[in-house]
Short mmCIF file of all heavy atoms in Angstrom, two decimals:
data_model
loop_
_atom_site.label_atom_id
_atom_site.label_comp_id
_atom_site.label_asym_id
_atom_site.label_seq_id
_atom_site.Cartn_x
_atom_site.Cartn_y
_atom_site.Cartn_z
N MET A 1 0.83 -1.21 0.00
CA MET A 1 0.00 0.00 0.00
C MET A 1 0.86 1.26 0.00
O MET A 1 0.55 2.24 -0.63
CB MET A 1 -0.90 0.00 1.23
CG MET A 1 -1.82 1.17 1.32
SD MET A 1 -2.89 1.09 2.77
CE MET A 1 -4.05 -0.17 2.31
N TYR A 2 1.97 1.22 0.73
CA TYR A 2 2.83 2.39 0.87
C TYR A 2 4.19 2.06 0.31
O TYR A 2 4.88 1.17 0.81
CB TYR A 2 2.93 2.77 2.36
CG TYR A 2 3.71 4.03 2.62
CD1 TYR A 2 3.23 5.27 2.18
CD2 TYR A 2 4.92 4.00 3.30
CE1 TYR A 2 3.93 6.42 2.41
CE2 TYR A 2 5.63 5.16 3.55
CZ TYR A 2 5.14 6.36 3.10
OH TYR A 2 5.84 7.51 3.35
N GLU A 8 10.54 6.29 7.52
CA GLU A 8 9.95 7.62 7.73
C GLU A 8 8.50 7.51 8.19
O GLU A 8 8.03 8.29 9.02
CB GLU A 8 10.08 8.45 6.45
CG GLU A 8 11.54 8.79 6.19
CD GLU A 8 11.80 9.53 4.91
OE1 GLU A 8 10.83 10.01 4.27
OE2 GLU A 8 12.98 9.63 4.54
N ALA A 9 7.78 6.51 7.66
CA ALA A 9 6.39 6.29 8.10
C ALA A 9 6.39 5.86 9.57
O ALA A 9 5.55 6.31 10.36
CB ALA A 9 5.74 5.23 7.22
N ARG A 12 6.84 8.89 11.74
CA ARG A 12 5.63 9.72 11.84
C ARG A 12 4.63 9.11 12.82
O ARG A 12 4.05 9.81 13.64
CB ARG A 12 4.98 9.91 10.46
CG ARG A 12 5.76 10.85 9.56
CD ARG A 12 4.98 11.19 8.32
NE ARG A 12 5.05 10.15 7.30
CZ ARG A 12 6.00 10.07 6.37
NH1 ARG A 12 6.95 10.97 6.32
NH2 ARG A 12 6.00 9.09 5.50
N LEU A 13 4.43 7.80 12.71
CA LEU A 13 3.49 7.13 13.63
C LEU A 13 4.01 7.23 15.08
O LEU A 13 3.24 7.50 16.00
CB LEU A 13 3.29 5.66 13.23
CG LEU A 13 2.32 4.85 14.09
CD1 LEU A 13 0.94 5.49 14.12
CD2 LEU A 13 2.21 3.42 13.57
N PHE A 16 3.52 10.75 16.35
CA PHE A 16 2.09 10.98 16.58
C PHE A 16 1.66 10.33 17.90
O PHE A 16 0.96 10.96 18.71
CB PHE A 16 1.26 10.42 15.42
CG PHE A 16 -0.21 10.47 15.71
CD1 PHE A 16 -0.93 11.64 15.55
CD2 PHE A 16 -0.87 9.34 16.20
CE1 PHE A 16 -2.28 11.70 15.87
CE2 PHE A 16 -2.22 9.38 16.52
CZ PHE A 16 -2.93 10.56 16.35
N MET A 17 2.06 9.09 18.12
CA MET A 17 1.65 8.39 19.35
C MET A 17 2.24 9.06 20.60
O MET A 17 1.56 9.17 21.62
CB MET A 17 2.06 6.91 19.30
CG MET A 17 1.24 6.05 18.34
SD MET A 17 -0.55 6.15 18.57
CE MET A 17 -0.72 5.57 20.27
N TYR A 27 5.30 15.91 16.57
CA TYR A 27 4.55 15.56 15.35
C TYR A 27 3.96 16.82 14.72
O TYR A 27 4.13 17.07 13.54
CB TYR A 27 3.43 14.54 15.66
CG TYR A 27 2.62 14.26 14.40
CD1 TYR A 27 3.01 13.28 13.52
CD2 TYR A 27 1.52 15.05 14.07
CE1 TYR A 27 2.32 13.06 12.33
CE2 TYR A 27 0.82 14.85 12.90
CZ TYR A 27 1.23 13.85 12.03
OH TYR A 27 0.55 13.67 10.85
N ARG A 31 4.64 18.04 11.06
CA ARG A 31 3.62 17.72 10.05
C ARG A 31 2.40 18.62 10.07
O ARG A 31 1.55 18.54 9.20
CB ARG A 31 3.13 16.28 10.24
CG ARG A 31 4.19 15.23 10.20
CD ARG A 31 4.76 15.04 8.83
NE ARG A 31 3.84 14.39 7.90
CZ ARG A 31 4.00 14.40 6.57
NH1 ARG A 31 5.04 15.02 6.05
NH2 ARG A 31 3.14 13.78 5.80
N LEU A 36 -5.95 13.00 10.58
CA LEU A 36 -5.60 11.65 10.15
C LEU A 36 -6.49 11.10 9.06
O LEU A 36 -6.03 10.43 8.14
CB LEU A 36 -5.59 10.69 11.35
CG LEU A 36 -4.37 10.78 12.26
CD1 LEU A 36 -4.40 9.65 13.28
CD2 LEU A 36 -3.06 10.76 11.49
N ARG A 39 -5.43 12.53 5.80
CA ARG A 39 -4.12 12.01 5.37
C ARG A 39 -4.20 10.57 4.87
O ARG A 39 -3.33 10.12 4.12
CB ARG A 39 -3.12 12.08 6.53
CG ARG A 39 -2.70 13.49 6.88
CD ARG A 39 -1.55 13.45 7.84
NE ARG A 39 -1.33 14.71 8.52
CZ ARG A 39 -0.53 15.67 8.07
NH1 ARG A 39 0.10 15.53 6.93
NH2 ARG A 39 -0.37 16.79 8.78
N HIS A 40 -5.20 9.82 5.32
CA HIS A 40 -5.34 8.43 4.86
C HIS A 40 -6.17 8.32 3.59
O HIS A 40 -6.27 7.24 3.01
CB HIS A 40 -5.95 7.56 5.96
CG HIS A 40 -4.97 7.27 7.07
ND1 HIS A 40 -4.66 8.17 8.04
CD2 HIS A 40 -4.21 6.17 7.33
CE1 HIS A 40 -3.76 7.65 8.86
NE2 HIS A 40 -3.46 6.44 8.46
N PHE A 43 -5.13 6.46 0.35
CA PHE A 43 -4.98 5.00 0.44
C PHE A 43 -6.35 4.36 0.57
O PHE A 43 -7.18 4.83 1.35
CB PHE A 43 -4.10 4.63 1.64
CG PHE A 43 -2.78 5.35 1.65
CD1 PHE A 43 -2.59 6.47 2.46
CD2 PHE A 43 -1.74 4.95 0.82
CE1 PHE A 43 -1.39 7.16 2.45
CE2 PHE A 43 -0.54 5.64 0.81
CZ PHE A 43 -0.36 6.75 1.63
N ILE A 45 -8.54 2.11 2.14
CA ILE A 45 -8.57 1.33 3.38
C ILE A 45 -9.94 0.67 3.53
O ILE A 45 -10.91 1.31 3.93
CB ILE A 45 -8.23 2.22 4.60
CG1 ILE A 45 -6.85 2.87 4.39
CG2 ILE A 45 -8.25 1.39 5.89
CD1 ILE A 45 -6.36 3.74 5.53
N ALA A 49 -7.91 -4.27 4.77
CA ALA A 49 -6.72 -3.45 5.08
C ALA A 49 -6.74 -3.05 6.55
O ALA A 49 -5.72 -3.10 7.24
CB ALA A 49 -6.68 -2.22 4.19
N LYS A 50 -7.91 -2.67 7.01
CA LYS A 50 -8.04 -2.29 8.42
C LYS A 50 -7.68 -3.46 9.34
O LYS A 50 -6.90 -3.32 10.28
CB LYS A 50 -9.48 -1.83 8.71
CG LYS A 50 -9.71 -1.40 10.14
CD LYS A 50 -11.17 -1.42 10.53
CE LYS A 50 -11.62 -2.83 10.86
NZ LYS A 50 -13.01 -2.90 11.34
N TRP A 53 -3.95 -4.12 9.33
CA TRP A 53 -3.25 -3.11 10.16
C TRP A 53 -3.44 -3.45 11.64
O TRP A 53 -2.48 -3.46 12.40
CB TRP A 53 -3.82 -1.73 9.84
CG TRP A 53 -3.08 -0.56 10.43
CD1 TRP A 53 -2.13 0.21 9.82
CD2 TRP A 53 -3.25 0.01 11.75
NE1 TRP A 53 -1.71 1.20 10.67
CE2 TRP A 53 -2.38 1.11 11.86
CE3 TRP A 53 -4.07 -0.30 12.83
CZ2 TRP A 53 -2.29 1.88 13.01
CZ3 TRP A 53 -3.97 0.48 13.98
CH2 TRP A 53 -3.09 1.55 14.06
N TYR A 77 -7.97 2.24 21.61
CA TYR A 77 -7.73 3.43 20.78
C TYR A 77 -7.46 3.02 19.32
O TYR A 77 -8.01 3.62 18.39
CB TYR A 77 -6.55 4.24 21.34
CG TYR A 77 -6.16 5.38 20.45
CD1 TYR A 77 -7.05 6.42 20.19
CD2 TYR A 77 -4.92 5.41 19.82
CE1 TYR A 77 -6.70 7.45 19.33
CE2 TYR A 77 -4.57 6.44 18.96
CZ TYR A 77 -5.46 7.45 18.72
OH TYR A 77 -5.12 8.47 17.86
N PHE A 78 -6.64 1.98 19.13
CA PHE A 78 -6.33 1.54 17.76
C PHE A 78 -7.59 1.05 17.04
O PHE A 78 -7.80 1.38 15.87
CB PHE A 78 -5.27 0.42 17.78
CG PHE A 78 -3.89 0.89 18.16
CD1 PHE A 78 -3.02 0.05 18.84
CD2 PHE A 78 -3.45 2.16 17.83
CE1 PHE A 78 -1.74 0.47 19.18
CE2 PHE A 78 -2.17 2.59 18.17
CZ PHE A 78 -1.31 1.74 18.85
N THR A 81 -9.84 4.08 16.22
CA THR A 81 -9.28 4.97 15.20
C THR A 81 -9.19 4.27 13.85
O THR A 81 -9.43 4.88 12.80
CB THR A 81 -7.90 5.50 15.65
OG1 THR A 81 -8.01 5.92 17.01
CG2 THR A 81 -7.47 6.68 14.81
N ALA A 82 -8.85 2.98 13.86
CA ALA A 82 -8.76 2.23 12.60
C ALA A 82 -10.14 2.18 11.91
O ALA A 82 -10.23 2.34 10.69
CB ALA A 82 -8.23 0.83 12.85
N MET A 85 -10.60 5.34 10.14
CA MET A 85 -9.75 5.49 8.94
C MET A 85 -10.32 4.76 7.73
O MET A 85 -9.91 5.02 6.61
CB MET A 85 -8.34 4.94 9.18
CG MET A 85 -7.42 5.78 10.00
SD MET A 85 -7.61 7.50 9.78
CE MET A 85 -7.51 7.94 11.49
C1 HEM B 1 -6.95 1.30 9.36
C2 HEM B 1 -5.78 0.86 8.94
C3 HEM B 1 -4.67 1.80 8.54
C4 HEM B 1 -3.95 1.74 7.40
C5 HEM B 1 -4.10 0.70 6.28
C6 HEM B 1 -3.02 2.85 7.44
C7 HEM B 1 -2.11 3.16 6.44
C8 HEM B 1 -1.31 4.27 6.40
C9 HEM B 1 -0.46 4.64 5.31
C10 HEM B 1 -0.29 3.85 4.01
C11 HEM B 1 0.17 5.78 5.65
C12 HEM B 1 1.20 6.56 4.82
C13 HEM B 1 2.55 6.43 5.40
C14 HEM B 1 3.00 7.74 6.03
O1 HEM B 1 2.89 8.78 5.37
O2 HEM B 1 3.43 7.74 7.18
C15 HEM B 1 -0.28 6.15 6.98
C16 HEM B 1 0.13 7.26 7.67
C17 HEM B 1 -0.18 7.50 8.99
N1 HEM B 1 -1.00 6.76 9.79
FE1 HEM B 1 -2.08 5.17 9.19
N2 HEM B 1 -3.16 3.53 8.61
C18 HEM B 1 -4.16 2.93 9.31
C19 HEM B 1 -4.59 3.30 10.56
C20 HEM B 1 -4.01 4.25 11.35
C21 HEM B 1 -4.38 4.52 12.73
C22 HEM B 1 -5.47 3.78 13.49
C23 HEM B 1 -3.57 5.52 13.18
C24 HEM B 1 -3.50 6.15 14.54
C25 HEM B 1 -3.53 5.46 15.64
C26 HEM B 1 -2.70 5.89 12.08
C27 HEM B 1 -1.74 6.87 12.14
C28 HEM B 1 -1.01 7.31 11.05
C29 HEM B 1 -0.12 8.47 11.07
C30 HEM B 1 0.18 9.36 12.28
C31 HEM B 1 0.39 8.60 9.78
C32 HEM B 1 1.34 9.69 9.27
C33 HEM B 1 0.50 10.88 8.78
C34 HEM B 1 1.37 11.99 8.21
O3 HEM B 1 1.92 12.78 8.99
O4 HEM B 1 1.49 12.08 6.99
N3 HEM B 1 -2.99 5.10 11.00
N4 HEM B 1 -1.17 5.21 7.40
#
Side-chain angles (χ1 to χ4, degrees):
M1 182 178 286
Y2 184 66
E8 291 176 12
R12 287 190 280 272
L13 181 57
F16 172 81
M17 288 307 300
Y27 177 88
R31 303 290 289 164
L36 283 188
R39 290 190 196 270
H40 286 78
F43 307 100
I45 302 182
K50 181 200 80 176
W53 189 96
Y77 173 63
F78 289 149
T81 314
M85 284 325 137

